[in-house]
Amino acid sequence: MARVARIERTGGPDVIGWADVELPPPGPGEVRIRNTAIGVNFIDTYHRSGLYPVELPAGLGLEAAGVVEAVGKGVTSFKPGDRVCTFGPVRGAYATERNLPADMLFPIPDDISDEVAAAALLKGCTAEFLADRCAKVEAGWTVLVHAAAGGVGLILVQWLKAIGAHVIGTVSTEEKAAQARAAGADEIVRYDHEDVAARVRALTGGAGVRVVFDGVGKSTWEASLGSVARRGLIVSYGNASGPVTGVNLAVLSQKGSIFVTRPTLFDYYSAADEASASAGVVRLWQMIRSGKVTVAIGRRYPLEQAAQAHRDLEARATSGSSILIP
């Protein structure tokens, strides 16, 4: 029997329920995975809350690492005993076991642990596409990273520093400031008591930054607009504080012909472009292996404490990556 999370309705963390499910054998093209570590991500809270609509009842979670237990007909890329990981897009990672299409899995290298794979895959691939392929950051650029001590933030800061960028990070506590500095942030702005845009302008001699990476959303939108340089780019990739709505295009002109994009991971890691997706994952493993990116696991929770993990994440009480352990 597999122990799986289920939501019958959307809402707060308390809507997460649990059920014992008898899994069928993996079908053609499928693989049975026994999860050993499960990543917790903000997108999971969006599915749970209804911010991102899902068909109910629904499973939760996109990211996990585990071991292949069985393979279905036609699967030749994996065999029982292989260590694998996934970042979706099929939901249901909050489970002890599940069946998944083989083309949604990536092999885990021998020198990468299951916990690191589960903590890093979605967030690290997010950092890869944001920095390398979306913003196309170059050495010498000054960039701003909101929530620089978060799960994506800490990896993104390290990635940008490896490129050679000058990184300004925003955080809410001195503890998180220390973590962002340790990751390589050159300057820290405490958004809890500083005017972010004013401070960024002061740090850049009034010019602003070439790129803003904003995974927070609603509460940081004005600060992002005020921090970006003429003809700069705002990459709004998350909604931790709620979605950005009612964007006035005339304001983008007034702020200096600003570019804005709202990218998603799966448009950069499309199943139709498997070679590109695999290359991005390989690049992530290389960055970890080289020491240029270190994955910080801030908290580990037993699987059935997923609701508490969501509460802590939404309260911004976490730093680094959080994982569930079945």
Side-chain angles (χ1 to χ4, degrees):
M1 298 289 284
R3 190 70 170 163
V4 302
R6 285 280 187 271
I7 58 170
E8 303 288 335
R9 67 186 192 282
T10 56
D14 291 342
V15 304
I16 301 174
W18 297 90
D20 292 314
V21 176
E22 188 73 45
L23 292 178
E30 289 188 334
V31 174
R32 167 77 59 82
I33 309 300
R34 174 176 54 81
N35 286 336
T36 55
I38 298 157
V40 180
N41 296 282
F42 258 108
I43 194 171
D44 304 344
T45 72
Y46 305 159
H47 292 143
R48 187 214 72 225
S49 69
L51 179 62
Y52 288 1
V54 296
E55 185 176 344
L56 299 173
L60 282 177
L62 296 172
E63 181 183 40
V67 179
V68 174
E69 296 280 276
V71 300
K73 184 178 179 180
V75 175
T76 59
S77 51
F78 299 104
K79 64 183 185 302
D82 285 350
R83 298 169 56 238
V84 295
C85 55
T86 182
F87 54 41
V90 172
R91 293 180 305 279
Y94 292 10
T96 55
E97 294 180 90
R98 63 175 175 155
N99 295 330
L100 271 179
D103 61 8
M104 293 183 185
L105 300 172
F106 300 95
I108 303 175
D110 290 342
D111 56 351
I112 303 290
S113 73
D114 289 7
E115 287 196 358
V116 167
L121 186 64
L122 189 147
K123 301 173 189 69
C125 288
T126 297
E128 181 274 328
F129 93 77
L130 288 176
D132 289 357
R133 292 187 282 144
C134 179
K136 299 180 180 178
V137 175
E138 298 179 11
W141 287 14
T142 299
V143 301
L144 175 66
V145 177
H146 285 298
V152 173
L154 283 176
I155 296 175
L156 183 57
V157 168
Q158 295 174 81
W159 204 289
L160 292 164
K161 289 305 297 179
I163 292 171
H166 185 87
V167 180
I168 302 171
T170 72
V171 299
S172 60
T173 69
E174 194 52 45
E175 179 185 3
K176 291 184 177 183
Q179 292 169 337
R181 287 192 188 96
D186 298 283
E187 307 285 352
I188 295 295
V189 179
R190 285 283 300 273
Y191 69 78
D192 55 325
H193 65 254
E194 290 184 277
D195 182 314
V196 172
R199 180 65 176 148
V200 168
R201 292 288 173 180
L203 290 170
T204 57
V209 297
R210 291 286 297 268
V211 183
V212 177
F213 294 97
D214 190 345
V216 179
K218 182 178 180 179
S219 68
T220 48
W221 174 246
E222 292 298 329
S224 294
L225 279 174
S227 299
V228 69
R230 187 182 305 275
R231 299 197 309 275
L233 171 66
I234 299 175
V235 181
S236 179
Y237 68 92
N239 313 287
S241 67
V244 177
T245 59
V247 176
N248 185 337
L249 295 182
V251 171
L252 304 183
S253 172
Q254 295 163 9
K255 294 291 184 179
S257 302
I258 304 306
F259 294 87
V260 178
T261 184
R262 180 59 176 87
T264 64
L265 175 75
F266 299 112
D267 284 331
Y268 284 82
Y269 280 82
S270 168
D273 190 11
E274 187 176 349
S276 177
S278 296
V281 174
V282 169
R283 175 136 164 77
L284 171 62
W285 300 145
Q286 290 171 340
M287 292 288 273
I288 294 173
R289 189 176 289 117
S290 70
K292 293 177 181 177
V293 167
T294 300
V295 180
I297 300 175
R299 298 195 183 187
R300 296 170 174 83
Y301 301 83
L303 175 61
E304 293 193 35
Q305 288 186 14
Q308 186 59 49
H310 279 216
R311 291 187 193 98
D312 293 343
L313 189 63
E314 291 177 302
R316 302 188 190 182
T318 65
S319 59
S321 299
S322 296
I323 58 174
L324 305 175
I325 305 297

